[in-house]
Structure formats: C-alpha cells, structure tokens
Amino acid sequence: MKLYYAIASSYCQRVLIAFYEKGISFTPVEVNLFDPEARSHYLQINPFGKIPTLITDHHQTLFESSIIIEYLDQHFQPQTRLIPQQPELALEVRLLERIIDIYINGGREALFADTQIPIKERGSEKVLKAKRLLETGCAFLNDRLNRRTWLAGEEFSLADCAAAPTLTYLRTVYNYKHLPRLTDYVRRLESRPSVKQVQRFGHDQITQMLSQLPYPLELPPLDNFPTSAVYQKI
C-alpha cells in the first residue's frame, strides 16, 4: 500500500496513528502541495488535491482520513479494532469523530486564520461563533471522559486517532486547561506510543511552519501550556 501524506497535516497524522496502532506496513509518499510540479502530479491521483490518499494493494484509491482508517480496520488486524463491532458503540465513535472534526477542528481552523490578519480586524461574529462551537465540543468531550480512559471507553478508537493531532494543534490558539478531564486525556494521548511517534516526526516541520507565519505562533507542550492562550478570553 502507498500512503500519500504530509507529516504536519492533522488529517494525515490521524491515519498514521491508525497504521501504527494496527502495526500495518505501508509505503509512505510525502507530498509537497506547495510545489507546483508535485501538486500537478498529485492531482492525477487525488483530483481534490487533499491529503491523505491511500492506494491499496488492489489498486483502489481512497480519500478522506476516516474512510482510510475504516478500510484499515476492515482488512487488517481484526483484534485491534478502531471502529467497534457493536453497532451502538460504533455510532458513538463516529459521533465523537464528527464532533472533533466539524466543531473542534473547524473552530481551530477559524481561530488560526483569525490570528493571521491584522489585530484590529480580528474577532468577527463568524469567528466568535466558531469559537463557541469549539468550546461546546471541548466541554462535550470533557463530560464524556468521566471515568473513561479513551473517548469511547477503555478501547482506543477512531475518535482518539482524530483527537490526538486536533487537540495538540488546538493549543496554538486556545487554552483548554480549565477542562481537567480533557487535559488529562491529552496527556494520555501524547504518551501513547503511536501518537508519540507521529508527533515526533512532525514536530520540527510544524514548529518551522508556525514560526514563519506573518504573525508567528508557537505549539506549546501540554505541561507548559500558558494560562493565557490566544483565544481563551474572547
């Protein structure tokens, strides 16, 4: 199998975590979408120009991180399930993944974009709405983590694959330390071998990217997370 990816992408990191969790061998193909020639070539593989993309051993082309992870779950290492076989629990995992993707990651993207415009233009109603939804999503996860090790219970799942890069990158723009269960959960996530491996690979690249922004940002370690993150009190 070939996985087309960029290590700093949170969506690619989700898939890489799933690969490492299940111990699946694959051929990594790093994509630089900022290079015109590389992008032109990649568009022949994925016409949407998004990453990641998986080419299976049967020459099937799969887009979207959640679909790729589902494929891996269906075809490899059935003893390590990332989407539970029980229908009700599987629905919960998918619900949690959607909340992370739409409300938390979507809110993170809106807040991040807002940091890259002049200060006097920041804090539009659209951005504040995205922040409210992000906060609702974080509070929802914090509640779900009551007496749970992972988001859907005691088994690591698709939802946790999505949460790991999202909640790490969220620290560039938003402080969630007021949510103790969520903070402790992120500490468990970032100590898990699959997550540590992926984040170690991507750390230098994302640090460099953030430092080169028009308005530079930092990705603070969880234990050094400042009490006054960019959007904590807006």
Side-chain angles (χ1 to χ4, degrees):
M1 289 187 295
K2 287 186 179 181
L3 179 69
Y4 292 82
Y5 78 107
I7 189 58
S9 162
S10 65
Y11 290 97
C12 294
Q13 289 189 5
R14 299 178 189 195
V15 173
L16 288 168
I17 290 167
F19 267 107
Y20 296 143
E21 282 289 325
K22 296 176 77 69
I24 303 169
S25 298
F26 66 100
T27 300
V29 182
E30 195 158 3
V31 179
N32 180 5
L33 292 175
F34 298 103
D35 178 83
E37 184 176 351
R39 183 177 181 85
S40 177
H41 174 71
Y42 184 66
L43 286 171
Q44 299 175 40
I45 300 168
N46 184 334
F48 299 101
K50 301 290 187 179
I51 46 176
T53 297
L54 181 70
I55 308 295
T56 74
D57 290 335
H58 301 289
H59 308 292
Q60 184 179 9
T61 302
L62 298 176
F63 313 142
E64 300 299 325
S65 59
S66 60
I67 300 300
I68 293 172
I69 293 172
E70 184 166 357
Y71 173 84
L72 299 178
D73 222 32
Q74 290 176 350
H75 292 85
F76 299 92
Q77 302 295 341
Q79 70 273 23
T80 306
R81 298 286 304 185
L82 296 173
I83 302 174
Q85 289 184 305
Q86 305 95 312
E88 292 182 358
L89 188 53
L91 284 175
E92 181 179 7
V93 166
R94 293 180 187 279
L95 171 65
L96 290 163
E97 189 267 344
R98 290 288 78 202
I99 289 170
I100 292 163
D101 201 20
I102 296 171
Y103 300 116
I104 299 178
N105 199 46
R108 179 194 65 81
E109 290 175 347
L111 296 186
F112 172 81
D114 205 46
T115 67
Q116 298 308 302
I117 62 175
I119 294 175
K120 64 181 180 181
E121 299 176 16
R122 298 178 190 177
S124 68
E125 182 56 38
K126 181 178 179 180
V127 170
L128 294 179
K129 179 180 178 181
K131 179 176 177 289
R132 288 193 292 269
L133 291 173
L134 181 157
E135 290 180 321
T136 300
C138 287
F140 183 89
L141 298 189
N142 189 69
D143 289 344
R144 285 296 178 103
L145 285 162
N146 186 28
R147 299 185 180 180
R148 290 183 174 187
T149 301
W150 306 111
L151 283 177
E154 295 309 301
E155 300 297 327
F156 193 87
S157 73
L158 165 68
D160 303 297
C161 292
T166 299
L167 293 173
T168 295
Y169 284 178
L170 181 58
R171 293 201 295 272
T172 61
V173 293
Y174 181 75
N175 189 335
Y176 46 78
K177 267 197 166 180
H178 60 289
L179 300 170
R181 286 193 290 269
L182 185 65
T183 302
D184 287 343
Y185 165 68
V186 175
R187 189 171 286 110
R188 291 194 296 276
L189 275 177
E190 295 184 354
S191 297
R192 194 170 178 92
S194 61
V195 177
K196 288 178 69 173
Q197 184 174 356
V198 170
Q199 294 189 345
R200 183 173 67 251
F201 290 158
H203 181 268
D204 290 345
Q205 190 175 120
I206 190 63
T207 299
Q208 182 180 15
M209 290 171 61
L210 291 172
S211 69
Q212 294 175 347
L213 292 169
Y215 296 89
L217 295 172
E218 294 182 354
L219 180 58
L222 183 64
D223 290 332
N224 296 331
F225 198 8
T227 56
S228 56
V230 178
Y231 280 90
Q232 183 184 25
K233 297 182 180 179
I234 287 183

